[in-house]
Amino acid sequence: QQQQQQQQPPSREFISVLWRWMAQRGDAAELAHWPVLPVAGGKLRLLQQPAQVLQGGDWTEALASALQKLGCCLLDCQLLSQQLHCPALQPFVQQPTAAGVLDALAAVDAAGAAGSNSSTSVQQQMQPRHGEGRSLQQLLQTLSSAERHHLRTYLLQRKWFTAAAESTAAVAEAAAPASLARDQLQLLRLLPIYEVHQPLPYEDSQQQPQQVSAAASKEGHAMHSALAQAGRPPLLLAPNGVSNTVLGSTFLRCESAAEEELLQQHLGVLRLPVSAFLAQHLAAAPQQLDQRGLVSSLVYVLQNLRQLAQEDGSLPSVLGDLPLIPTRAAAAARAGQQQQQQQWLASPTALFDPRNATLLQLL
């Protein structure tokens, strides 16, 4: 019984008094590698660097769940409400910003290889933390579709990608967060949190994006991938005006134009030119594409050809040689199952104007 009492972790009152004492000293280095950092769930974490503990932020329930699944811990801000900004605490916590989250995830990944264990329970004996010994990529597989969405939404806020605002004498609060560093941007590209379109039929034999877990698939069968993933081409933005039904898993599914702009400006995502999209995707297997989507995409290109050609000079010549235009044989091809649909698609240079009555009589 005496041994069990000695193994009991310190009480919350003791931890509170301890941090008031450390705040006065301004340094907690003497207690480094001691489990005295309170986090959500009634646990204690070691004082260690780089930190895997995040200060309290504007976390949604799904985002908090995602961070904890990924091995990050959330500081018990209620217990340390008077010491949140003291110098003794700062080296052992990450700020509630995109940079802080990414640095915490990098620390988790580094610690995962070593299988470090640094959490104990205030009310129970020491317990291994979730994800012990697992890499960040393995932990990412446990996230649901909603958790990936909330994590992406938080990390892709424009305020994280702009330089610190001009300081003024009237501003007493902390300055705006600085832009993300190069290594943080690279980690952001490698996170499989970006939603992509469902694979097209002819993509089934190719390597697919990362699937969400079986439980998450019920939320809407969303598919996610990293912006840069080994063995797969980088994800792209589709040309404007193209139907979603002809887009495959190579193309990102963004929520807004602002998200697309941010991905282009700061994460190096390219928008595929119309000519390349027609040649590499629509013409690759037009008979396997949604025909309404194919036609509506072509109609948009033809109706806006002059404007699009100003941005993509090769578009007229590329479009003229691609067999993508439906002909009068379309109805027969759709009615006759034995005919290949590609037979009723022709290149513009091989077509005649149906309004020419003389040509119609000769044909």
Side-chain angles (χ1 to χ4, degrees):
Q1 183 177 2
Q2 182 178 1
Q3 184 178 3
Q4 292 180 352
Q5 292 177 352
Q6 293 176 351
Q7 292 178 349
Q8 289 293 329
S11 65
R12 291 176 60 86
E13 291 74 16
F14 175 83
I15 294 298
S16 179
V17 172
L18 177 64
W19 276 101
R20 287 200 298 268
W21 173 75
M22 285 193 289
Q24 294 177 353
R25 290 173 53 88
D27 186 7
E30 294 181 0
L31 295 180
H33 303 293
W34 281 70
V36 294
L37 187 60
V39 297
K43 295 182 179 181
L44 297 174
R45 290 279 293 183
L46 300 180
L47 291 180
Q48 62 181 14
Q49 296 176 282
Q52 302 174 30
V53 178
L54 288 157
Q55 279 202 24
D58 188 19
W59 317 123
T60 63
E61 182 178 352
L63 177 57
S65 174
L67 293 172
Q68 290 172 329
K69 282 185 178 181
L70 294 177
C72 300
C73 292
L74 306 181
L75 186 69
D76 189 340
C77 296
Q78 183 177 4
L79 184 59
L80 299 185
S81 59
Q82 303 302 317
Q83 293 82 37
L84 292 180
H85 302 291
C86 74
L89 177 65
Q90 298 311 306
F92 307 105
V93 294
Q94 303 285 0
Q95 297 303 309
T97 63
V101 170
L102 291 169
D103 285 344
L105 293 179
V108 169
D109 196 33
S116 62
N117 176 24
S118 56
S119 61
T120 80
S121 173
V122 173
Q123 299 176 348
Q124 302 177 2
Q125 301 298 324
M126 285 192 177
Q127 299 175 348
R129 67 183 179 91
H130 175 75
E132 177 185 356
R134 301 170 68 184
S135 70
L136 178 60
Q137 289 301 322
Q138 291 173 321
L139 295 174
L140 283 162
Q141 301 304 314
T142 67
L143 298 186
S144 69
S145 180
E147 289 167 342
R148 293 177 191 239
H149 174 269
H150 280 257
L151 180 58
R152 182 180 73 252
T153 300
Y154 182 81
L155 293 176
L156 294 187
Q157 296 181 72
R158 180 163 294 278
K159 62 182 179 181
W160 308 135
F161 296 86
T162 55
E166 296 182 2
S167 57
T168 59
V171 178
E173 299 295 331
S179 299
L180 296 178
R182 180 176 301 180
D183 58 339
Q184 294 166 341
L185 289 172
Q186 181 59 19
L187 177 57
L188 185 55
R189 294 186 186 98
L190 296 175
L191 297 178
I193 58 175
Y194 303 93
E195 189 173 351
V196 297
H197 289 272
Q198 294 295 321
L200 297 173
Y202 63 83
E203 292 183 302
D204 290 344
S205 59
Q206 303 176 5
Q207 184 178 352
Q208 297 299 323
Q210 289 188 335
Q211 296 272 5
V212 295
S213 63
S217 297
K218 299 178 182 178
E219 300 174 7
H221 304 284
M223 300 190 70
H224 296 81
S225 178
L227 295 180
Q229 185 175 333
R232 297 192 73 245
L235 298 183
L236 300 167
L237 292 172
N240 292 319
V242 173
S243 172
N244 289 339
T245 61
V246 296
L247 300 178
S249 59
T250 305
F251 295 99
L252 286 161
R253 193 184 193 104
C254 297
E255 291 187 333
S256 64
E259 182 178 336
E260 292 183 351
E261 182 181 358
L262 188 147
L263 291 172
Q264 288 181 281
Q265 291 183 355
H266 300 284
L267 294 177
V269 177
L270 300 178
R271 186 180 297 279
L272 195 65
V274 178
S275 59
F277 177 79
L278 296 178
Q280 299 172 15
H281 295 275
L282 288 195
Q287 68 277 12
Q288 298 187 45
L289 298 177
D290 174 72
Q291 297 305 303
R292 290 187 177 181
L294 173 65
V295 171
S296 67
S297 300
L298 290 172
V299 168
Y300 173 83
V301 172
L302 293 172
Q303 289 178 340
N304 298 274
L305 185 58
R306 179 172 298 181
Q307 178 182 351
L308 294 174
Q310 293 178 354
E311 304 171 359
D312 185 356
S314 62
L315 177 59
S317 59
V318 171
L319 179 60
D321 294 330
L322 292 177
L324 291 173
I325 306 301
T327 68
R328 286 198 168 188
R334 282 194 289 263
Q337 298 296 327
Q338 295 180 352
Q339 274 189 305
Q340 294 184 356
Q341 290 183 354
Q342 199 166 12
Q343 292 178 349
W344 53 267
L345 295 177
S347 62
T349 55
L351 294 175
F352 297 95
D353 189 344
R355 294 170 297 182
N356 190 318
T358 305
L359 283 177
L360 285 177
Q361 292 175 0
L362 293 175
L363 296 175

